[in-house]
Amino acid sequence: LEVHAIPGSSAPPSYHNSPVPDKGPPPSYEEAIDPDAPPPSYDSLFGRVREARKSSSGFIDFFKNLTIILLGTIGCGVIVIITFIIPVTMIIVGLVYLHECPNSEYIPIFLLVGGGFGVLKQLLHLSARVRVREEEREEERVRQTPTQTVISCFMLGWFIIGSMWVYGASNPSFDPSSTHYCNKFLYTFALGLVSSVYISLVAVIVCLCSASVVAFVYESNS
C-alpha cells in the first residue's frame, strides 16, 4: 500500500528528534530529609511529621506532637468505630441474655446500662462537633460539656461496679439446670471486656513510663 503526501502539507515532526528538557539531577538524600526544606503542598502524614519536627523545641516536644498527629490521623477513625461498636454490642448481648445468668443477674444489666450510656456519650460528642464552627473545633476537642462530664463520671463508677459483679461471679456453672448457671457467652464476653480494659490501661501506663525513661535518657546524653 503506497501512501501519497497531500500537496502543500508537511510531514509530521519526528518525536525522536524532539529535545528532552533537562530536569537536572535528582535531589540528594540530605536534601530529601532536610528539616529546613519547605513543607509539601499536600496535607500528608509525612508533611505533618516534618512540620512537627521543625516546630518542636526538643525531643519531648516532638514526641508529644508526633503522638497527637498519629492519634488524630491513623487512630481517629479506628477509635471512633470501636467506641460505637463496643457499646452497641454490649446493648445487644445484655438484651439477648438478660435472664440467662441467675448466678449473677446484674452482669447483663451492667452490659445494657453501660452500653446505653456509651452510645449516648458518643452521640452527644458528635452532635457537639457538628454544631461548632470549623475554627472552634480545636477548642471543642479538649472541652467537654457538663452533661458529658457527668456521663463520663457515671460510666467510670458503673464500670468499677460492673467489674466487681463480673469478677465476683467466679467459677459459674454453664449447665442450665444448675443454681449457679450463667450463660457461657454472656460471662465470657463480660469477663473479656472488663479484663481488656484493665490490660489496655496497664499497657498505656507501661508505654508512658517507657517513653518518659527514653526521653530522660535522651535529654541526659544530649
Side-chain angles (χ1 to χ4, degrees):
L1 179 63
E2 183 179 359
V3 179
H4 298 279
I6 301 176
S9 63
S10 59
S14 175
Y15 292 99
H16 298 285
N17 298 328
S18 300
V20 179
D22 186 13
K23 297 182 179 180
S28 62
Y29 177 77
E30 289 76 11
E31 294 175 347
I33 64 172
D34 183 13
D36 297 327
S41 57
Y42 52 89
D43 187 17
S44 63
L45 179 61
F46 177 73
R48 297 178 66 182
V49 171
R50 286 181 56 185
E51 190 66 24
R53 181 183 176 186
K54 290 171 55 179
S55 60
S56 300
S57 58
F59 176 79
I60 298 179
D61 191 26
F62 172 69
F63 180 79
K64 180 186 67 175
N65 295 332
L66 179 62
T67 304
I68 294 175
I69 292 174
L70 293 178
L71 290 178
T73 54
I74 299 177
C76 182
V78 177
I79 292 175
V80 170
I81 294 175
I82 292 178
T83 52
F84 268 106
I85 290 180
I86 292 180
V88 171
T89 307
M90 291 171 63
I91 295 175
I92 295 175
V93 174
L95 284 175
V96 172
Y97 301 100
L98 184 59
H99 303 289
E100 294 292 328
C101 191
N103 182 46
S104 183
E105 57 185 7
Y106 293 111
I107 290 181
I109 297 177
F110 158 67
L111 296 176
L112 187 60
V113 175
F117 274 91
V119 172
L120 176 61
K121 184 176 184 299
Q122 293 302 320
L123 291 178
L124 291 176
H125 178 69
L126 290 179
S127 63
R129 289 174 59 90
V130 171
R131 286 197 306 267
V132 296
R133 297 191 300 270
E134 185 69 25
E135 59 270 17
E136 296 176 350
R137 287 188 177 179
E138 291 297 329
E139 182 182 359
E140 186 69 23
R141 289 176 184 175
V142 296
R143 186 185 60 196
Q144 285 190 342
T145 62
T147 304
Q148 290 177 316
T149 303
V150 172
I151 293 177
S152 299
C153 294
F154 172 80
M155 291 180 63
L156 177 61
W158 186 253
F159 177 79
I160 296 175
I161 296 175
S163 302
M164 298 172 59
W165 289 337
V166 173
Y167 290 128
S170 58
N171 299 323
S173 175
F174 301 134
D175 184 7
S177 61
S178 175
T179 56
H180 299 284
Y181 168 71
C182 188
N183 184 273
K184 184 177 182 179
F185 178 79
L186 171 66
Y187 178 76
T188 304
F189 176 81
L191 181 64
L193 178 66
V194 173
S195 301
S196 62
V197 172
Y198 285 113
I199 292 174
S200 301
L201 180 61
V202 173
V204 170
I205 294 176
V206 171
C207 291
L208 291 178
C209 293
S210 301
S212 301
V213 172
V214 171
F216 177 77
V217 173
Y218 179 84
E219 292 292 338
S220 300
N221 296 332
S222 60

